[in-house]
Amino acid sequence: MYQIGQEAKLFEWLARQHDPDDRQVMLDWFAEFVVDPLRSAHRIPGQRAPIYLVVTAVPRVTLTFLLAEQFKTIQLIEFGTLD
């Protein structure tokens, strides 16, 4: 299991959501995500650091993150949307 760095970004995203179902879906998704963050992630090309993009379980919401494998840490960078 990986640790989450910059967890404030997750809490900020949760605080902005008005739909309690979306908040719960994201929390459930994160519980699985921290076990295997690369399961459905795609590495962002052109970056020297291991930065990935993944589509979350909440419709149209993406997460960009850096994976620090040696520290078993996922650094959250940004929540975005598919447009």
Side-chain angles (χ1 to χ4, degrees), residues 2-51:
Y2 289 78
Q3 294 182 0
I4 299 291
Q6 297 293 335
E7 65 273 354
K9 293 192 182 291
L10 172 59
F11 296 133
E12 289 168 7
W13 184 91
L14 291 168
R16 289 191 312 263
Q17 302 313 303
H18 300 292
D19 185 346
D21 291 334
D22 282 350
R23 289 193 298 265
Q24 188 60 54
V25 166
M26 183 62 80
L27 289 171
D28 292 343
W29 178 82
F30 251 91
E32 294 179 22
F33 174 68
V34 297
V35 174
D36 185 7
L38 297 182
R39 181 178 61 199
S40 58
H42 302 280
R43 180 127 186 214
I44 297 177
Q47 300 290 324
R48 292 180 63 185
I51 297 176

Side-chain angles (χ1 to χ4, degrees), residues 38-72:
L38 297 182
R39 181 178 61 199
S40 58
H42 302 280
R43 180 127 186 214
I44 297 177
Q47 300 290 324
R48 292 180 63 185
I51 297 176
Y52 296 86
L53 178 74
V54 65
V55 178
T56 70
V58 177
R60 306 185 55 77
V61 175
T62 62
L63 172 63
T64 304
F65 65 95
L66 178 134
L67 184 66
E69 184 68 45
Q70 65 274 26
F71 301 111
K72 298 294 267 185

